[in-house]
Amino acid sequence: LLLLLLLLLLLTRHYYKMVEQPLKIPKVTHLYLQNNEVDKVEGLQKAASLSKLYLSGNKISTFEGLEHCSSLSELHLSDQNLEDDCGKSSCMEIPEASLRAMSRTLTTLTVANAGITTLEPFLLLNSLERLDASRNKLDDIKSVCRYLDGAVRLSILDLRGNPICKARKYREMLVISSHIENLDGKDILDQERQFLIAMKAKRGGKKASSKKHNENSKQQKPMFQIGKKS
């Protein structure tokens, strides 16, 4: 039992305000603190063995303090309650220093319903394989494609519930722009990717041919017949 406490702490729905006292146990590997009232993360200086951290359903507006978590592989931060007195939700922020601290070890990140508007800062997470960014405010599909182009290890991505999901050819653009294997809960087969790439190349060929034809037409000088007036 003591060994279990050293390796696993279940503190769900205990209404903690800060992560501080529990992590004085240096051998903790899993910490479950979801659905509390945590608004600040502290006391992780001795949590070098922590590999999975569950903090969904809290009140964390800025997530920092991970500089000493050198073994963290999973981080769950979805559904932070960040509404002000007027009912307006703000965006959760993850500073660059925190992202760099997790860059080599983090493989799973869930940030659903966190007010996120771009994925590009997550390019610092070099080892990321699974990303749940559903129910956010992502509306720039070109920005998402740039992220996917650089996220070489990412295999599973969930963007359901974002504005970009309504964009024309949303799935096609993301499949072509990446090597991910699953998008929004649906597997991407090799046949699907190859078909979409071929269709894009075919459309590109038609556009190039049409453009060349128009340019040639403009270069041709009109010919006039000069006749004598009677």
Side-chain angles (χ1 to χ4, degrees):
L1 180 59
L2 179 58
L3 179 60
L4 181 61
L5 287 174
L6 289 174
L7 299 179
L8 181 66
L9 281 179
L10 294 169
L11 298 169
T12 303
R13 292 192 182 277
H14 280 63
Y15 303 104
Y16 287 99
K17 294 286 291 183
M18 291 190 298
V19 180
E20 184 175 7
Q21 297 299 325
L23 290 182
K24 287 187 176 180
I25 304 175
K27 295 297 183 180
V28 169
T29 60
H30 296 50
L31 179 60
Y32 296 83
L33 259 171
Q34 62 266 41
N35 301 316
N36 280 282
E37 296 185 359
V38 175
D39 57 11
K40 190 174 184 180
V41 179
E42 295 180 335
L44 299 179
Q45 293 85 351
K46 296 183 179 180
S49 299
L50 187 65
S51 63
K52 297 184 180 182
L53 180 56
Y54 295 81
L55 283 168
S56 297
N58 283 286
K59 298 181 178 181
I60 304 171
S61 59
T62 301
F63 189 79
E64 53 190 351
L66 295 177
E67 290 76 10
H68 300 279
C69 297
S70 56
S71 301
L72 195 65
S73 62
E74 288 190 24
L75 178 60
H76 303 273
L77 292 171
S78 299
D79 299 307
Q80 299 298 318
N81 183 13
L82 301 177
E83 289 188 357
D84 57 22
D85 295 336
C86 298
K88 185 178 180 180
S89 297
S90 59
C91 173
M92 181 188 66
E93 297 181 3
I94 306 179
E96 181 178 333
S98 295
L99 292 172
R100 290 190 182 281
M102 303 181 289
S103 63
R104 295 183 179 182
T105 59
L106 198 71
T107 59
T108 299
L109 175 64
T110 63
V111 285
N113 190 28
I116 291 173
T117 58
T118 178
L119 299 179
E120 293 188 62
F122 297 146
L123 285 171
L124 292 172
L125 302 174
N126 301 324
S127 300
L128 198 63
E129 299 173 0
R130 298 168 177 257
L131 175 60
D132 180 359
S134 58
R135 298 179 287 125
N136 278 292
K137 299 178 181 179
L138 299 168
D139 58 4
D140 187 344
I141 196 166
K142 291 183 179 180
S143 175
V144 173
C145 288
R146 286 195 296 271
Y147 166 73
L148 289 174
D149 185 55
V152 294
R153 294 191 179 182
L154 194 72
S155 60
I156 299 176
L157 176 64
D158 193 344
L159 297 179
R160 286 174 286 189
N162 279 282
I164 59 167
C165 295
K166 299 178 181 179
R168 184 171 175 266
K169 297 181 180 178
Y170 156 76
R171 184 176 174 88
E172 175 182 339
M173 291 182 67
L174 266 60
V175 169
I176 292 175
S177 301
S178 69
H179 298 284
I180 56 175
E181 300 172 359
N182 186 291
L183 176 62
D184 297 342
K186 297 181 180 179
D187 288 338
I188 300 173
L189 302 177
D190 288 340
Q191 297 93 317
E192 177 186 4
R193 179 171 277 117
Q194 293 303 320
F195 173 78
L196 292 175
I197 291 174
M199 289 297 294
K200 181 181 179 181
K202 186 176 181 181
R203 288 196 300 268
K206 287 183 178 180
K207 289 182 180 179
S209 178
S210 177
K211 183 178 180 181
K212 185 176 182 180
H213 174 74
N214 292 335
E215 290 176 350
N216 290 337
S217 298
K218 291 179 181 179
Q219 291 175 358
Q220 292 179 356
K221 296 181 179 180
M223 298 181 66
F224 300 96
Q225 290 185 349
I226 302 176
K228 294 181 179 180
K229 292 184 178 180
S230 56

